[in-house]
Amino acid sequence: MITNVCLLLEILSFIFCLHILYEKRFKFDIISASFLSVYMIFMIVINYYHLAEHYTMIMYFLIFWYCGVRFSFNIKVILINIVFCIIIVGGIQMVISLPFVYIIGIKWFTDFQLLMVNCLAFLTIVILVPKCKINRITRYLRNKEKVQNIILTICISLIIILLFSYKEFKIYEVNQAILLFVSIVCIFVLAERMGKYKIKAKEVETELKMHELYADSFQGLIENIRLRQHEFDNHINTIYSQHFIYETYEELVEAQNAYCKVLSKENRFNKLLGSSNPIIAGFLYGKFIEIDKLGVDIAYHVQISELDVEIPIYKIVEILGDLINNATEAIVRNEGMSKLYVSILEDKRFEIEVRNESPYVEYTEIDKFFTKGFSSKGEGRGLGLYNVKNICREYGFDIYCENIKIENTDWLSFKVIKENVTL
């Protein structure tokens, strides 16, 4: 009878501690009654039939079910709170037991002494623990990735202790084997998650640097448009007043066309502002200004919205940069070639196309473009297209290169495509 009371007090201590960590008041209802009944029946059966100790591990599955039903099935939070409850309840019981061992000199506890320890532990948890604000610790861990480092440290420590125990005492029980297996699995899982977290953190850091890097270019684009807006009325008046200067209709049309071409050229990159992505707009604006100085005739079409393509924005910038650099170098290298076209479209699929005016390229030669180190520009080159191929492979993009003819002009076209974009 006393043993059953001890079991009841122990599980009540655990449940009260869970409620403190979840910041919820304990209430005795159908959920609590059902859990306590199943738990007590299960533990009495184990003690009555003298079952092996590893059967008590099922107790933790019952506690996990209770947390899920009572609070929510947030696995991360449940595991954190259960581990802390084990530490808190076990620690309080150990502290209360120490005077019995070292002051009174007890080596084996009687049922009555165990009842006293559990009563004192239960009262401590009900009265003192809520005042310690221990829920702040678990709240901190739930909101910080540092919990992974803490769990990893605990698992490594457990493995060391278990292996040392086996080597020193040659004792290897089923419970220890289960704990060792769970700890090893946790280490592998945590190592993978921490690797992914570091990659994600690096991506976020790189994208922040991208925002800073291309913010000036984007701001320059905006300032350029604002400046042109102030001059808009002057341009309109100039075009409107030209009919006073020219005597024939043909001269007027020719003069107006020439004037409009100059205006179009000066404002040819302003449409980038409609791309809705400041990083892409800033990067392309800076790149186009740089290429324009080389005498390259640039045409472009950018139509993107959310840019939801499951790839970091800096990787898109890498792809664009490598393809545009490759196309520009080909134009400069081939005399008589001056046209470059850049297209970014986001509709039912995401597509980047960069094509340059080019003589026909044999497809056996195209196959070599994406080989590491291959380049017709000299030694130490040939990494741009190889990098594009690796990015496409990593994020599930398709890449195509082909010769095309548009309005009697030969082009070499590179396309990077992602099908089934979610908009």
Side-chain angles (χ1 to χ4, degrees):
M1 180 65 183
I2 293 178
T3 302
N4 294 337
V5 175
C6 288
L7 289 172
L8 181 60
L9 286 171
E10 189 171 33
I11 192 60
L12 281 173
S13 299
F14 204 95
I15 295 302
F16 268 89
C17 188
L18 276 175
H19 278 263
I20 292 169
L21 294 177
Y22 273 104
E23 303 178 59
K24 302 287 185 182
R25 291 180 62 87
F26 175 79
K27 55 182 179 181
F28 191 79
D29 54 13
I30 186 64
I31 297 176
S32 303
S34 301
F35 168 74
L36 292 173
S37 300
V38 172
Y39 173 84
M40 290 302 299
I41 292 171
F42 181 73
M43 294 302 295
I44 289 170
V45 169
I46 289 177
N47 291 330
Y48 181 79
Y49 288 101
H50 303 288
L51 298 179
E53 288 186 3
H54 63 265
Y55 283 100
T56 58
M57 297 292 290
I58 300 175
M59 170 189 73
Y60 294 105
F61 291 100
L62 292 175
I63 295 172
F64 187 93
W65 170 85
Y66 176 82
C67 291
V69 173
R70 170 65 75 188
F71 308 109
S72 67
F73 280 99
N74 187 323
I75 296 177
K76 179 181 177 181
V77 176
I78 291 175
L79 291 177
I80 290 174
N81 286 340
I82 287 178
V83 169
F84 266 84
C85 277
I86 294 173
I87 295 171
I88 293 168
V89 175
I92 290 174
Q93 288 176 337
M94 184 183 69
V95 170
I96 293 174
S97 301
L98 289 177
F100 290 89
V101 176
Y102 291 101
I103 297 177
I104 303 176
I106 295 175
K107 294 184 178 180
W108 301 100
F109 282 81
T110 64
D111 289 345
F112 181 74
Q113 289 166 340
L114 285 174
L115 179 61
M116 287 181 60
V117 170
N118 280 287
C119 283
L120 291 173
F122 175 73
L123 291 173
T124 301
I125 290 170
V126 173
I127 298 172
L128 297 181
V129 172
K131 298 179 180 179
C132 297
K133 305 294 183 181
I134 60 172
N135 54 293
R136 293 179 180 176
I137 300 175
T138 56
R139 193 189 309 154
Y140 171 81
L141 291 176
R142 289 199 297 267
N143 296 332
K144 303 291 181 180
E145 292 295 334
K146 290 181 180 178
V147 66
Q148 295 180 353
N149 295 327
I150 294 173
I151 295 175
L152 185 63
T153 304
I154 292 173
C155 290
I156 293 173
S157 302
L158 281 173
I159 291 174
I160 293 172
I161 292 169
L162 291 170
L163 293 177
F164 177 79
S165 175
Y166 172 73
K167 184 177 180 180
E168 189 73 18
F169 303 105
K170 303 300 180 184
I171 299 173
Y172 197 66
E173 298 179 351
V174 177
N175 284 352
Q176 291 177 314
I178 294 173
L179 191 57
L180 182 64
F181 174 76
V182 171
S183 298
I184 292 172
V185 171
C186 284
I187 287 175
F188 280 105
V189 172
L190 286 171
E192 182 184 5
R193 286 180 61 87
M194 290 170 71
K196 290 180 178 179
Y197 173 73
K198 286 182 179 179
I199 292 173
K200 186 67 176 177
K202 183 180 178 182
E203 289 179 353
V204 172
E205 181 183 356
T206 307
E207 291 197 6
L208 287 174
K209 289 181 180 178
M210 283 284 181
H211 277 283
E212 295 174 1
L213 181 62
Y214 297 115
D216 290 340
S217 294
F218 187 69
Q219 189 61 36
L221 174 60
I222 294 175
E223 291 299 327
N224 183 54
I225 292 173
R226 286 176 177 171
L227 180 62
R228 302 302 179 192
Q229 285 295 113
H230 287 302
E231 299 173 355
F232 181 75
D233 290 339
N234 294 333
H235 292 309
I236 293 295
N237 289 329
T238 301
I239 294 172
Y240 179 76
S241 301
Q242 282 180 330
H243 70 280
F244 294 112
I245 302 173
Y246 299 98
E247 297 180 357
T248 66
Y249 177 76
E250 288 75 14
E251 289 177 341
L252 174 62
V253 171
E254 184 179 349
Q256 288 180 338
N257 284 338
Y259 193 84
C260 289
K261 284 181 180 179
V262 173
L263 291 180
S264 297
K265 186 176 181 180
E266 289 180 352
N267 296 275
R268 60 196 178 282
F269 302 138
N270 290 0
K271 291 181 181 178
L272 285 171
L273 197 61
S275 69
S276 78
N277 187 287
I279 293 180
I280 298 294
F283 169 75
L284 289 178
Y285 182 70
K287 202 71 178 172
F288 289 169
I289 292 294
E290 175 188 334
I291 297 171
D292 185 62
K293 295 176 182 178
L294 300 175
V296 176
D297 183 12
I298 305 167
Y300 65 93
H301 179 48
V302 179
Q303 184 180 334
I304 55 178
S305 52
E306 300 297 328
L307 208 57
D308 184 15
V309 286
E310 299 178 354
I311 180 174
I313 189 70
Y314 75 92
K315 290 292 183 181
I316 296 178
V317 170
E318 275 190 47
I319 291 173
L320 283 168
D322 286 336
L323 292 179
I324 292 173
N325 287 341
N326 182 75
T328 304
E329 289 172 357
I331 291 172
V332 173
R333 192 172 61 253
N334 293 310
E335 292 184 7
M337 306 293 178
S338 62
K339 295 179 180 178
L340 172 69
Y341 177 78
V342 177
S343 172
I344 311 174
L345 303 176
E346 186 183 22
D347 192 2
K348 292 182 180 179
R349 69 179 186 180
F350 178 76
E351 177 181 300
I352 294 173
E353 182 184 12
V354 177
R355 66 174 183 255
N356 58 280
E357 194 176 4
S358 169
Y360 185 87
V361 181
E362 295 293 338
Y363 281 94
T364 53
E365 189 79 4
I366 289 176
D367 289 338
K368 300 176 184 177
F369 283 172
F370 300 96
T371 305
K372 184 177 181 180
F374 175 81
S375 176
S376 59
K377 311 178 191 76
E379 295 183 2
R381 310 296 291 274
L383 298 177
L385 294 178
Y386 176 75
N387 182 50
V388 172
K389 182 186 72 172
N390 287 338
I391 295 173
C392 290
R393 182 182 297 167
E394 181 180 358
Y395 292 96
F397 284 70
D398 297 315
I399 184 167
Y400 304 95
C401 179
E402 60 181 341
N403 294 283
I404 61 175
K405 184 180 284 289
I406 302 175
E407 296 179 354
N408 296 321
T409 300
D410 292 317
W411 300 80
L412 185 63
S413 171
F414 289 87
K415 287 184 179 180
V416 172
I417 298 172
K418 176 77 170 182
E419 300 286 353
N420 301 321
V421 175
T422 302
L423 294 178

